[in-house]
Amino acid sequence: MYKCAIILAAGEGKRMKSNTPKVLHKVCGKEMINHVIDNIRSAGIEEVNVVIGKGAGKVQKGTESRNISYSVQAEQLGTGHAVMCAEDFLKGKKGTVSIFVGDGPLITEETVRSLTNYHEAEGCSATILTSVMADPLKYGRIIRNANGEVEKIVEFKDCNEAEAKVNEINSGMYCFDIEALLNTLGKLNNNNNQNEYYLTDVIEILKGEGKKVGAIAVDVDEITAVNSKQELSVANEIMRSRINKMHMDNGVIIMDPRSTYIDCDVVIGQDTIIYPGNVLEGKTVVGEECTLYANNRLTDAVIGDRVTIESSVVLESRVGENTTVGPFAYIRPETVIGSDARIGDFVEIKKATIGNGTKVSHLTYIGDAEVGEKCNFGCGTVVVNYNGKTKNKTIIGDNVFIGCNSNLISPVEVENNTYIAAGSTITNKVPEGSLAIARARQVNKENWVHDKYNK
Ligand code: UD1
Ligand code: CA
């Protein structure tokens, strides 16, 4: 059967107290609405329409990579009105429309599937996704008749005392037969405590017309909606623990899941060990059998197999297999480090390539450089890439030994198999096979202390 989906995302989200539209707030690195879109798509529903209103431009921009269509709800007159604004999207279609909320990022692909499967298998005109809550708070209540059939949904603000006590709540997510929904939207009114056109009233109308209304219940974690920053933290926590569990199921060792923060698109190989305080963000990929000791931030980093990283930051860079990084290294964007390399403590590398087997063990800055294989950087080496106006490039060959506390003034080239004496300031090319010494000769002034101070 034909399937499509509508996501309601026109509301302002006042309680978020934010300049960013509510649905663009991120949960584990991805905007809430994009979680919803991606899960709908994974469940096999291709055509997605998002109802936008408040912050429409930003929401459109934040979802543009998803290739969806939009309906505009200029004034927020309720969830029923929001769906009316998507009438053009639905008109002429026959089949099932699933409706989701942009602030419910925890809905899973499996649940989207079981909701539509149930709806279609049972031949329902409407199927509600519900949940049972110990404390049902402000959610709409599912009111069933003596036979256990769903009669209607009553909003919390419109509940009588008995209805308020009902524990089964409306997730705000449903499936509808498209024609049945279109025929009902015109019958909605706003005679309620919030003077809004409630989508939830469609249920009672359909039931009154003798149509079949179904409901399936899911765990409350899946339907938790985010209306405030506090609820955003709850959603993050739920998503985070799902992500950590998925990686552990795949064979990753996470020492303390409660202090491990992994974004939803991160990939990690099996037998990698993750110590507390790791933050793995964006499109980071970590290989197999790596050790991430405590306190790293890896953002859009690609890490090979058997790499060890400790207390370091790696941004938009690649690290080859068997390499060790840190403690306290700072690898900045566009860096490519080879395999079997060593990047040690207090080393900063920016926009540079470092060849296989090269060691940069301590207190060194390398920026805008190409470094070959099996080089050794002495402690305190600085690639002086900036002259105050422009950034310039340094090229270093293979098997270069750079003595401690050297400066390489860019642009400059150091050829293969060379040595640079400690304390040198290199401004000219160092030709292959040579030793470069670029420092003042030592002068000893004998008896200087005695002559000056008469000691
Ligand atoms: C809604 C349901 C309630 C359910 C709850 C689940 C109605 C009347 N009530 O209540 O039964 O328990 O969700 O979270 O449907 N939106 C628009 N346009 C509008 C109003 C809302 O696009 O005019 C969007 C919002 O951006 C949001 C979603 O619809 O993404 C839900 O709106 P919200 O105002 O949060 O509804 P609730 O009062 O929480
Ligand atoms: Ca809500």
Side-chain angles (χ1 to χ4, degrees):
M1 198 182 278
Y2 170 79
K3 293 178 182 56
C4 62
I6 293 174
I7 303 174
L8 307 185
E12 185 168 8
K14 274 199 198 101
R15 283 170 287 170
M16 287 301 271
K17 304 228 167 71
S18 175
N19 296 324
T20 303
K22 174 163 80 172
V23 297
L24 292 183
H25 281 77
K26 288 183 178 178
V27 171
C28 293
K30 183 153 86 180
E31 299 78 10
M32 295 202 272
I33 190 163
N34 286 332
H35 276 289
V36 181
I37 296 169
D38 292 351
N39 285 334
I40 293 173
R41 286 265 167 78
S42 314
I45 304 175
E46 268 311 306
E47 234 183 306
V48 180
N49 185 267
V50 176
V51 182
I52 49 178
K54 286 271 154 50
K58 287 183 182 170
V59 176
Q60 219 163 334
K61 187 137 196 9
T63 53
E64 67 187 354
S65 61
R66 264 46 182 198
N67 190 27
I68 51 174
S69 61
Y70 300 91
S71 301
V72 176
Q73 184 191 28
E75 232 187 320
Q76 283 67 55
L77 304 177
T79 49
H81 179 256
V83 177
M84 291 177 202
C85 295
E87 253 183 283
D88 282 347
F89 169 73
L90 292 175
K91 264 204 189 111
K93 294 187 164 103
K94 282 189 172 55
T96 302
V97 58
S98 302
I99 296 185
F100 299 94
V101 287
D103 60 357
L106 296 162
I107 185 78
T108 62
E109 176 194 332
E110 293 72 34
T111 296
V112 175
R113 264 183 217 282
S114 28
L115 179 65
T116 48
N117 287 347
Y118 179 93
H119 174 80
E120 291 176 2
E122 295 290 316
C124 294
S125 291
T127 305
I128 311 161
L129 189 68
T130 73
S131 190
V132 175
M133 273 186 177
D135 181 4
L137 308 167
K138 303 217 158 107
Y139 287 92
R141 306 298 200 263
I142 305 291
I143 308 302
R144 291 176 182 266
N145 63 22
N147 303 326
E149 294 162 355
V150 176
E151 279 287 318
K152 58 180 174 180
I153 300 171
V154 180
E155 286 308 292
F156 169 72
K157 286 187 181 153
D158 303 297
C159 277
N160 62 35
E161 217 175 305
E163 288 163 342
K165 285 190 181 130
V166 171
N167 289 91
E168 190 182 8
I169 60 95
N170 171 30
S171 68
M173 306 176 208
Y174 328 76
C175 280
F176 291 100
D177 172 69
I178 294 172
E179 287 176 306
L181 178 65
L182 284 174
N183 289 334
T184 316
L185 287 175
K187 298 172 188 162
L188 294 177
N189 63 54
N190 63 354
N191 303 330
N192 51 54
N193 277 332
Q194 303 187 81
N195 296 114
E196 286 184 1
Y197 294 88
Y198 290 165
L199 179 60
T200 44
D201 286 349
V202 167
I203 302 301
E204 190 175 9
I205 296 171
L206 289 173
K207 190 70 186 169
E209 292 172 351
K211 303 264 171 48
K212 188 168 176 183
V213 175
I216 63 167
V218 285
D219 193 276
V220 66
D221 277 2
E222 284 212 39
I223 58 98
T224 298
V226 173
N227 297 299
S228 64
K229 298 258 166 80
Q230 194 274 330
E231 288 171 356
L232 183 66
S233 80
V234 172
N236 264 297
E237 201 174 319
I238 295 170
M239 183 78 75
R240 191 154 67 82
S241 90
R242 276 187 202 166
I243 291 170
N244 287 344
K245 181 180 179 306
M246 182 266 290
H247 289 295
M248 292 187 277
D249 287 347
N250 289 342
V252 176
I253 300 169
I254 300 181
M255 306 292 267
D256 181 12
R258 293 178 57 97
S259 69
T260 304
Y261 298 76
I262 305 174
D263 278 359
C264 55
D265 291 331
V266 170
V267 176
I268 308 172
Q270 91 179 30
D271 290 322
T272 282
I273 303 179
I274 301 178
Y275 283 75
N278 273 278
V279 180
L280 311 188
E281 297 181 318
K283 305 259 180 259
T284 289
V285 177
V286 178
E288 297 187 353
E289 294 177 38
C290 292
T291 304
L292 303 181
Y293 284 117
N295 303 328
N296 296 298
R297 173 157 77 100
L298 311 183
T299 304
D300 298 321
V302 179
I303 310 295
D305 296 338
R306 296 174 302 280
V307 167
T308 299
I309 310 182
E310 180 168 8
S311 299
S312 293
V313 176
V314 182
L315 310 176
E316 298 164 44
S317 292
R318 308 175 78 90
V319 176
E321 57 186 36
N322 301 318
T323 287
T324 67
V325 176
F328 315 117
Y330 183 22
I331 313 292
R332 292 168 53 199
E334 295 182 59
T335 292
V336 178
I337 297 166
S339 58
D340 302 292
R342 154 130 198 81
I343 308 300
D345 51 87
F346 306 104
V347 171
E348 175 176 341
I349 303 183
K350 184 217 93 174
K351 204 176 180 182
T353 57
I354 307 289
N356 299 339
T358 286
K359 294 190 170 68
V360 189
S361 296
H362 354 251
L363 300 165
T364 291
Y365 173 72
I366 301 176
D368 303 293
E370 276 172 32
V371 178
E373 301 191 352
K374 297 200 173 79
C375 295
N376 190 90
F377 280 69
C379 182
T381 301
V382 175
V383 171
V384 184
N385 62 326
Y386 185 52
N387 57 17
K389 287 212 174 77
T390 55
K391 300 275 167 69
N392 299 295
K393 190 161 183 176
T394 283
I395 298 175
I396 297 171
D398 298 335
N399 299 307
V400 173
F401 184 96
I402 301 172
C404 290
N405 212 31
S406 295
N407 301 307
L408 301 159
I409 312 289
S410 308
V412 73
E413 190 177 348
V414 180
E415 292 190 342
N416 295 340
N417 304 317
T418 48
Y419 281 72
I420 291 173
S424 291
T425 293
I426 300 296
T427 51
N428 297 318
K429 181 191 246 189
V430 179
E432 173 141 19
S434 54
L435 161 68
I437 308 171
R439 63 187 188 214
R441 261 179 196 288
Q442 182 167 338
V443 177
N444 291 338
K445 299 191 172 177
E446 289 187 18
N447 295 321
W448 183 87
V449 177
H450 179 265
D451 294 350
K452 184 146 178 114
Y453 299 107
N454 216 3
K455 282 192 204 155

